[in-house]
Amino acid sequence: MTDTFIDSQSVREYLLGLQQRIVGKFEELDGQPFLRDAWEKPADAPLGGGGMTRIIEEGNVLERGGVGFSHVMGKTLPPSATAQRPELAGRGFEAMGVSLVFHPRNPYVPTVHMNVRFFIARANSGAQRPDHHPSPLGEGPGGVGESNRPAGRRNAPPLGEGHGGVGEPDKAHQAPAQSADAWWFGGGMDLTPYYATEEDARHFHATCKKALAPFGADKHPRFKKWCDEYFYLKHRNEPRGIGGVFFDDFHEMGFEQSFAMMRAVGDAFLDAYVPIVERHKHREYGPREREFQAYRRGRYVEFNLVFDRGTLFGLQSGGRTESILMSLPPKVEWKYNWQPQPGTPEARLYSEFLRPRDWA
């Protein structure tokens, strides 16, 4: 946490390049373009900065999908960011990240979420630059069109954060004393199927495990367990989906290696998800499957609005509401006390998939 150089410009460049790569691949898969919505906070807003939201609605494959980049800064951390970290209360912050959620049209294609982010809580909030608004288009160094280069040693502007916000900190790796800036990486990806297959589950989890392998044998089981525990609907006593990996407050390997691990997770997303989309996007389905998909999407809405720290962080800090809530599905249903019939494919989701398993 006390590295002599924190290369935030390389983090920003990586994130913009990652957004571009993912959007490009899914424009190819879907056949429809993503809209581009550049945004910037007004100079007098409590939260400064800007971002770029790429969104598709009513596509051929994606009924709704968004890939957002944001780079924001504020004078005081909101309550959601300091509930588990009271020593950070009152600090200014700067953060950047890429977050995506894809809600496919075909119920046999799972919903997916991925987020990678970087965060700094300033030791001296007076060092904050609330009037600084990085270009949401990423013009100049780190621009959208710039190649996705590995981390280098460049002059770095202040740090930033994106959608996904601050997850619960890893208790084993708490922040240092108030005298130093506190920085950390976070991220992960998770899969939410409606009609799940073991082939899909094993592929997704194996890809996550492979991405983390170079950083130590402990990382995948630790981050898988964290994902299972985080994406859990306590009021329903069930997980949101079949998990993946999740980490936050990560700084234990120093800046360069921690950044490399975040990149490995971001880079693994297309390998983890695209084969699943290609396997199922042309499968036939009918009203029954769409109805169950809409019902299960309700769980997604409940988690995001009740539990998700990123959503709470964005709304409490004065973030951009349209970008924060782009994760919500377009069509959802709730039914009173509905239960699947035993022996049906819908019941199989509950009995065989919505429970922790060592898929990898």
Side-chain angles (χ1 to χ4, degrees):
M1 291 281 281
T2 58
D3 297 65
T4 57
F5 184 80
I6 304 302
D7 190 0
S8 61
Q9 180 66 19
S10 285
V11 179
R12 178 182 167 89
E13 289 177 18
Y14 170 76
L15 293 170
L16 286 164
L18 178 65
Q19 182 190 41
Q20 182 92 335
R21 282 187 286 139
I22 293 171
V23 168
K25 181 60 180 178
F26 274 85
E27 286 183 332
E28 176 187 322
L29 283 171
D30 194 279
Q32 297 292 330
F34 281 62
L35 298 178
R36 182 190 299 262
D37 182 16
W39 56 273
E40 190 168 348
K41 288 304 226 177
D44 58 350
L47 191 70
M52 171 68 71
T53 298
R54 304 298 305 275
I55 186 85
I56 183 172
E57 294 181 301
E58 296 299 331
N60 297 313
V61 174
L62 298 178
E63 191 168 14
R64 190 177 200 220
V67 189
F69 165 80
S70 66
H71 181 177
V72 297
M73 63 278 314
K75 294 180 179 180
T76 305
L77 284 163
S80 62
T82 59
Q84 305 291 329
R85 299 280 292 272
E87 74 277 10
L88 301 183
R91 289 194 183 199
F93 68 92
E94 193 166 354
M96 66 178 76
V98 163
S99 183
L100 69 81
V101 176
F102 289 158
H103 292 289
R105 183 180 301 279
N106 191 315
Y108 289 102
V109 182
T111 287
V112 72
H113 159 258
M114 191 277 291
N115 173 274
V116 283
R117 57 193 178 272
F118 185 45
F119 199 104
I120 281 193
R122 297 292 183 187
N124 178 6
S125 60
Q128 201 35 45
R129 295 193 296 163
D131 59 338
H132 171 63
H133 301 277
S135 168
L137 294 172
E139 296 167 356
V144 170
E146 188 155 322
S147 62
N148 181 26
R149 293 175 293 176
R153 295 293 192 181
R154 304 176 187 86
N155 292 329
L159 294 290
E161 170 317 338
H163 317 297
V166 183
E168 186 172 350
D170 190 338
K171 300 298 189 297
H173 304 285
Q174 294 296 327
Q178 180 77 11
S179 59
D181 286 351
W183 62 263
W184 62 89
F185 290 93
M189 66 180 94
D190 62 285
L191 198 67
T192 304
Y194 308 100
Y195 293 91
T197 71
E198 293 215 359
E199 181 182 14
D200 292 346
R202 293 188 185 284
H203 168 78
F204 189 82
H205 282 270
T207 305
C208 291
K209 183 177 181 178
K210 181 180 178 181
L212 290 167
F215 305 97
D218 66 309
K219 301 301 184 298
H220 179 257
R222 178 173 145 198
F223 297 163
K224 180 190 181 298
K225 181 174 184 290
W226 202 344
C227 187
D228 290 339
E229 293 174 352
Y230 181 75
F231 292 104
Y232 191 82
L233 288 86
K234 301 176 182 66
H235 63 293
R236 298 284 190 181
N237 195 31
E238 66 183 45
R240 187 172 78 174
I242 63 168
V245 291
F246 176 87
F247 65 96
D248 200 30
D249 191 35
F250 192 88
H251 50 79
E252 64 201 64
M253 296 191 301
F255 176 80
E256 292 290 353
Q257 279 295 97
S258 298
F259 180 25
M261 191 186 77
M262 186 203 77
R263 294 199 309 270
V265 171
D267 292 345
F269 170 74
L270 291 175
D271 291 338
Y273 187 58
V274 168
I276 297 172
V277 175
E278 291 176 329
R279 195 150 47 230
H280 301 296
K281 66 179 181 176
H282 295 305
R283 286 186 67 175
E284 292 187 5
Y285 62 88
R288 170 179 170 163
E289 289 81 9
R290 282 286 281 175
E291 187 175 339
F292 183 61
Q293 178 192 50
Y295 174 76
R296 287 300 307 174
R297 280 175 171 178
R299 300 297 202 263
Y300 215 91
V301 173
E302 290 174 23
F303 180 86
N304 279 26
L305 295 184
V306 177
F307 296 109
D308 186 62
R309 289 180 178 273
T311 302
L312 295 175
F313 173 86
L315 296 175
Q316 290 176 358
S317 63
R320 186 171 186 263
T321 303
E322 285 299 311
S323 297
I324 295 165
L325 298 183
M326 73 176 183
S327 63
L328 299 181
K331 295 179 176 65
V332 190
E333 285 187 12
W334 278 269
K335 297 180 181 180
Y336 181 77
N337 200 28
W338 182 85
Q339 302 292 329
Q341 291 295 315
T344 61
E346 293 81 10
R348 184 169 177 257
L349 176 70
Y350 291 83
S351 62
E352 297 184 27
F353 291 90
L354 295 185
R355 56 188 180 86
R357 289 176 60 178
D358 184 11
W359 293 106

